Amino acid sequence: MDLLMQFLTNTGFYLADYRHIIMFIAGAVFLYLGAAKNYEPLLLIPIGFGILVGNVPFFKGLGLGIYEENSVLSYLYFGVTTGCYPSIIFLGLGAMTDFTPLLARPKLMLLGAAAQIGIFFTLITALVLGFLPKEAASIAIIGGADGPTSIFLTAKLAPHLIGPVAIAAYSYMALIPVIQPPIMRLLTTRKERLIRMPEGRAVPRKELMIFPGVGVFLCCFLAPASIPLLGTFFFGNFLKECGATERLAKTARTTIIDTATIFLGFTVGASTQGDVFLTAKSVGIFCLGAVAFSIATASGILFAKIMNLFLKEKINPLLGAAGVSAVPGSAREVHLMGQKADPSNYLLMDAMACNSSGVIGSAIAAGVLWSFLI
Amino acid sequence: MIGLENISAHNGWAMAFVGISIVFSGLILLSFVISQLHRILDLFERWYIIANKNNHKNRKKANKKCGTELPATLTPGKTATPNKTTEEKHSEEIIRNYKMITHRMGEPFSLPKLLDLAEKRGLNRPYSTVNMLIASEDIVSDGNGFFVWKR
């Protein structure tokens, strides 16, 4: 009987408290959004399930938890804390990205830069609220709307915040259809939304092949701290474009990125143990993340409007919202918003150009912040 | 510490200003370079053509001295397609090679068989070449799992 009682007191049912229940609900919401609503399912489902697994109450000291030494989960989590998974994901992302629209219209790259204003605005705001500089930088990078970049920088600067930062970054990426359209409507007129983008020039294959080299040379030389992200990103893109390594490119953009995404999502979810995650800081991070994301969207749109003051050939300011690096969610949202105003207006390719420049921009911003605070 | 004091104490203003300036300058520089990339490549291509022409002229002169003449097809200005770039000639050659194989197979043809025969004939990088031919729409799907030549 004693043995049975001892066993029962060690079960999750006995050890559970309100924090575990809150986190279970959060995990269920993620699973619901991913599976039923189809909001970024590839990210939300591994994270959601990770939250469930990570919040099963257990007896501390058995080497089960993600924060316990030599546990299986801690080994899987190693890829997050060292920044390996984000780097691998960038390799796959590079092998997926088609830079043709960006090379056809290089000025759209400025919109990717403008959207990064959100990061630095949030850095200031987080400092105002009393966060330490390293924490503030980790929170600010959420404005880049790039999950792997956010995780990478947070792992380097404020590892204790990986859970809340990653959850906030991926939540806002999934909530793009909810967050971005009102900002787009608010900051643009119908006339501006009707602007059509002219067809870009044809881009020869040679240019696509040379671009990754140019990218590495300029971006990584300028901000060497972005090498782990941009180095693999451009490498993946070169695998795709050179034509001789199609098999490797295919593996990078399918098997490799999928494997890394599964482990990253699952372990980040599992790292949100109620006792670690449910703090006032996490609430602050969520609020600041929303601010960062909104400011990034708004600054992209406003910058596009400023550019239009000087350009003969006007650009559709909606494209500025795609300057955040949530690929391809924000590009899709811009395209849909453009089509609501004019169903025959096709903005997707131009929005993808802004998106890919946003990926480069946020990786540079992460590198810059890391080098400032190292 | 909170408020503006915290920003000043941790050099926040400078971090934000320098940070965004670096991001902007990096992307402006990249955008400028890629906007000029096609011009730089054109320049290289022209330089390459001129260098080739000079080589031909020198060889012609040398051959004349030896009393031999270059064949007409190798003489610049007398070639069948004088304005074609090296890349175009190369892709034409690729198409010719693959058309020779598919001629025997008949159209429509299956890609695995084409790749198999191309490998057996020792053609260079058959997978990426066939992929390139599909991407350039020289080879198109007939909708039934087979492929045909577009031109």
Side-chain angles (χ1 to χ4, degrees):
Chain A
M1 195 63 186
D2 280 349
L3 196 65
L4 181 66
M5 284 309 288
Q6 194 187 345
F7 176 78
L8 287 177
T9 52
N10 282 341
T11 59
F13 298 110
Y14 183 83
L15 294 168
D17 63 22
Y18 74 96
R19 291 173 302 189
H20 295 115
I21 294 164
I22 293 174
M23 291 313 295
F24 257 71
I25 294 169
V29 170
F30 270 58
L31 289 176
Y32 172 75
L33 287 176
K37 294 283 175 188
N38 220 23
Y39 284 175
E40 301 280 350
L42 302 183
L43 299 169
L44 292 194
I45 289 176
I47 293 177
F49 212 88
I51 294 175
L52 298 186
V53 171
N55 281 284
V56 173
F58 59 87
F59 196 73
K60 293 263 163 42
L62 289 178
L64 296 172
I66 202 162
Y67 298 112
E68 288 188 289
E69 265 182 41
N70 296 326
S71 71
V72 174
L73 284 177
S74 76
Y75 283 118
L76 292 178
Y77 194 48
F78 185 72
V80 175
T81 51
T82 52
C84 287
Y85 293 152
S87 202
I88 294 170
I89 287 178
F90 261 67
L91 174 77
L93 208 58
M96 279 179 186
T97 308
D98 181 8
F99 281 111
T100 312
L102 189 64
L103 289 170
R105 226 187 310 277
K107 66 184 168 202
L108 292 181
M109 196 167 249
L110 298 182
L111 299 181
Q116 311 313 319
I117 290 172
I119 293 176
F120 295 95
F121 180 86
T122 314
L123 174 75
I124 295 287
T125 317
L127 285 172
V128 167
L129 292 176
F131 282 95
L132 294 170
K134 287 184 178 181
E135 292 175 338
S138 304
I139 297 165
I141 200 72
I142 298 172
D146 194 336
T149 307
S150 305
I151 291 169
F152 177 81
L153 187 67
T154 312
K156 298 294 172 197
L157 296 180
H160 57 289
L161 294 183
I162 286 181
V165 167
I167 298 289
Y170 282 121
S171 305
Y172 295 128
M173 279 170 73
L175 290 174
I176 282 172
V178 180
I179 299 172
Q180 283 201 318
I183 300 171
M184 288 193 257
R185 268 194 299 270
L186 187 74
L187 295 176
T188 54
T189 61
R190 187 178 148 73
K191 196 181 162 192
E192 285 171 329
R193 291 199 286 270
L194 286 171
I195 295 175
R196 279 168 182 264
M197 296 298 290
E199 203 156 308
R201 68 179 176 89
V203 178
R205 203 164 142 253
K206 266 184 199 167
E207 276 183 56
L208 290 166
M209 276 175 69
I210 291 170
F211 178 70
V214 173
V216 166
F217 183 73
L218 291 178
C219 301
C220 296
F221 272 64
L222 183 73
S226 61
I227 290 172
L229 298 175
L230 288 181
T232 51
F233 180 67
F234 286 122
F235 169 53
N237 190 250
F238 187 73
L239 289 179
K240 173 180 177 276
E241 298 299 349
C242 74
T245 50
E246 183 47 36
R247 212 175 75 192
L248 297 186
K250 196 180 163 195
T251 311
R253 69 172 165 259
T254 52
T255 318
I256 288 181
I257 195 170
D258 288 348
T259 311
T261 305
I262 288 170
F263 286 129
L264 181 124
F266 183 72
T267 50
V268 161
S271 73
T272 60
Q273 288 178 1
D275 48 344
V276 183
F277 188 77
L278 291 175
T279 59
K281 256 187 186 169
S282 298
V283 178
I285 289 168
F286 265 81
C287 297
L288 283 169
V291 171
F293 196 73
S294 308
I295 297 284
T297 305
S299 50
I301 296 171
L302 293 174
F303 194 80
K305 290 173 83 143
I306 294 169
M307 277 172 77
N308 275 348
L309 298 176
F310 304 98
L311 290 173
K312 275 184 189 168
E313 203 175 63
K314 307 288 180 205
I315 52 176
N316 193 318
L318 288 176
L319 292 174
V324 296
S325 46
V327 185
S330 56
R332 200 171 45 215
E333 221 39 59
V334 165
H335 176 67
L336 291 175
M337 182 62 82
Q339 287 212 314
K340 270 184 195 164
D342 172 7
S344 61
N345 198 0
Y346 194 79
L347 292 174
L348 190 63
M349 290 313 280
D350 298 289
M352 282 303 289
C354 300
N355 244 185
S356 30
S357 84
V359 173
I360 300 171
S362 60
I364 295 178
V368 168
L369 287 171
W370 186 22
S371 60
F372 283 166
L373 295 163
I374 208 163
Chain B
M1 205 188 305
I2 56 163
L4 296 178
E5 250 187 348
N6 198 25
I7 302 175
S8 310
H10 294 111
N11 225 3
W13 297 116
M15 262 200 293
F17 183 74
V18 177
I20 195 66
S21 309
I22 293 172
V23 173
F24 260 96
S25 21
L27 290 184
I28 287 172
L29 192 64
L30 190 58
S31 116
F32 175 74
V33 171
I34 61 176
S35 69
Q36 301 303 315
L37 206 55
H38 64 284
R39 289 189 189 153
I40 298 167
L41 285 174
D42 276 353
L43 211 68
F44 269 107
E45 191 121 315
R46 270 182 218 162
W47 173 78
Y48 180 77
I49 290 167
I50 291 167
N52 260 4
K53 270 188 182 174
N54 288 342
N55 273 350
H56 276 297
K57 274 180 190 169
N58 292 341
R59 276 172 59 193
K60 202 176 165 186
K61 272 181 193 172
N63 284 340
K64 265 187 182 173
K65 275 183 188 172
C66 300
T68 53
E69 195 68 48
L70 273 174
T73 49
L74 287 180
T75 314
K78 289 186 184 176
T79 51
T81 51
N83 294 326
K84 284 187 177 170
T85 62
T86 324
E87 200 175 75
E88 282 170 339
K89 282 179 196 168
H90 181 59
S91 69
E92 273 180 7
E93 197 180 319
I94 288 170
I95 290 171
R96 204 167 37 245
N97 282 337
Y98 279 80
K99 272 191 174 167
M100 273 167 70
I101 301 175
T102 54
H103 183 68
R104 284 190 172 187
M105 294 162 65
E107 287 195 35
F109 49 85
S110 102
L111 276 194
K113 201 174 174 189
L114 173 64
L115 288 166
D116 192 36
L117 288 173
E119 262 183 346
K120 276 182 187 162
R121 285 193 170 208
L123 291 182
N124 200 16
R125 298 202 300 256
Y127 283 87
S128 54
T129 311
V130 169
N131 186 43
M132 195 187 76
L133 290 172
I134 293 170
S136 60
E137 293 185 345
D138 286 314
I139 290 177
V140 288
S141 167
D142 72 344
N144 296 317
F146 290 91
F147 286 79
V148 290
W149 286 99
K150 195 175 179 185
R151 60 179 191 197

